[in-house]
Amino acid sequence: EDQVTQSPEALRLQEGESSSLNCSYTVSGLRGLFWYRQDPGKGPEFLFTLYSAGEEKEKERLKATLTKKESFLHITAPKPEDSATYLCAVQAGNQFYFGTGTSLTVIP
Amino acid sequence: KAGVTQTPRYLIKTRGQQVTLSCSPISGHRSVSWYQQTPGQGLQFLFEYFSETQRNKGNFPGRFSGRQFSNSRSEMNVSTLELGDSALYLCASSFTGEEGYTFGSGTRLTVV
């Protein structure tokens, strides 16, 4: 069964404390893996697309990496404004599968 | 540039009724996809339209349908509403569908 699992469900960090979010997937025919950020009451905001194992992308304090079974979203020296739910999604064949997200809280 | 616009923002319907939600994509975007978001299930893919044709479809019953017009605007229809259809319905657009999608703010549907 195609599945996307994110961990941890929730993460509290002190400002400046770097960490990583995990997205593991079991799908056949991976076409792309997407990371989104979602703030309360808003739709997800696109961050990255990764297509093949070994690929990495960076944007400000965020860096996404991809292996054959999982993806990591590394957050370096986070700030309170990075607090949000981070969603991972996988496109496999003609389907899109989302994880349930990691709720990140960065404490000043 | 204008983002993805969804109307209405909030909607309350009675069980058994039907509802139509509207989505205006970013200008130039030809791919429009729809998602249902609930606290228990998270985001679930409903369907995707590209150039007026349904290109992909998730695992939802036939009560959920959609269409896309020649100007790429899309509508989603849910017939015979059930209490479990209460959710945030999100629309997202993309130029081709292969890169990341831009999401709207959603329509909050409550079925009573």
Side-chain angles (χ1 to χ4, degrees):
Chain A
E1 180 185 342
D2 294 334
Q3 194 168 348
V4 177
T5 303
Q6 290 189 247
S7 62
E9 288 187 15
L11 183 63
R12 289 173 63 89
L13 299 173
Q14 291 290 332
E15 183 172 1
E17 179 187 2
S18 301
S19 188
S20 296
L21 313 183
N22 178 265
C23 170
S24 63
Y25 59 92
T26 53
V27 300
S28 52
L30 177 72
R31 293 175 60 186
L33 184 141
F34 306 87
W35 281 99
Y36 291 88
R37 165 195 171 125
Q38 186 172 25
D39 293 297
K42 295 186 178 181
E45 175 190 344
F46 171 72
L47 294 173
F48 304 108
T49 307
L50 302 167
Y51 293 103
S52 56
E55 190 174 358
E56 299 182 351
K57 289 193 176 173
E58 283 188 73
K59 179 181 178 180
E60 296 181 353
R61 295 179 292 282
L62 301 176
K63 178 180 177 180
T65 62
L66 181 65
T67 71
K68 288 186 178 180
K69 293 184 178 181
E70 60 191 348
S71 176
F72 291 94
L73 184 65
H74 307 279
I75 303 177
T76 302
K79 299 181 178 181
E81 53 262 41
D82 295 323
S83 296
T85 295
Y86 291 83
L87 296 166
C88 166
V90 166
Q91 184 178 9
N94 293 328
Q95 296 292 315
F96 292 86
Y97 303 94
F98 275 79
T100 51
T102 293
S103 176
L104 173 67
T105 303
V106 182
I107 304 163
Chain B
K1 60 180 179 183
V4 177
T5 303
Q6 292 189 246
T7 56
R9 287 295 311 274
Y10 302 93
L11 205 50
I12 300 176
K13 288 287 188 178
T14 303
R15 192 171 48 182
Q17 287 186 312
Q18 75 163 17
V19 66
T20 299
L21 311 181
S22 179
C23 172
S24 293
I26 288 176
S27 178
H29 283 189
R30 294 188 295 168
S31 170
V32 174
S33 56
W34 287 89
Y35 300 82
Q36 181 194 67
Q37 187 173 32
T38 59
Q41 298 293 323
L43 265 160
Q44 292 186 284
F45 172 66
L46 280 156
F47 30 67
E48 183 213 4
Y49 285 85
F50 185 85
S51 294
E52 301 181 64
T53 301
Q54 188 180 86
R55 187 162 69 172
N56 298 308
K57 188 177 186 303
N59 298 318
F60 276 79
R63 299 185 297 108
F64 293 82
S65 63
R67 59 179 175 168
Q68 187 180 31
F69 302 95
S70 58
N71 61 358
S72 291
R73 190 177 70 86
S74 178
E75 288 182 347
M76 189 192 87
N77 184 275
V78 187
S79 62
T80 319
L81 284 165
E82 301 176 359
L83 295 179
D85 296 333
S86 295
L88 179 67
Y89 289 89
L90 291 160
C91 165
S93 76
S94 169
F95 183 64
T96 65
E98 293 297 314
E99 70 280 21
Y101 281 80
T102 301
F103 280 80
S105 295
T107 294
R108 172 76 62 186
L109 172 65
T110 302
V111 182
V112 298

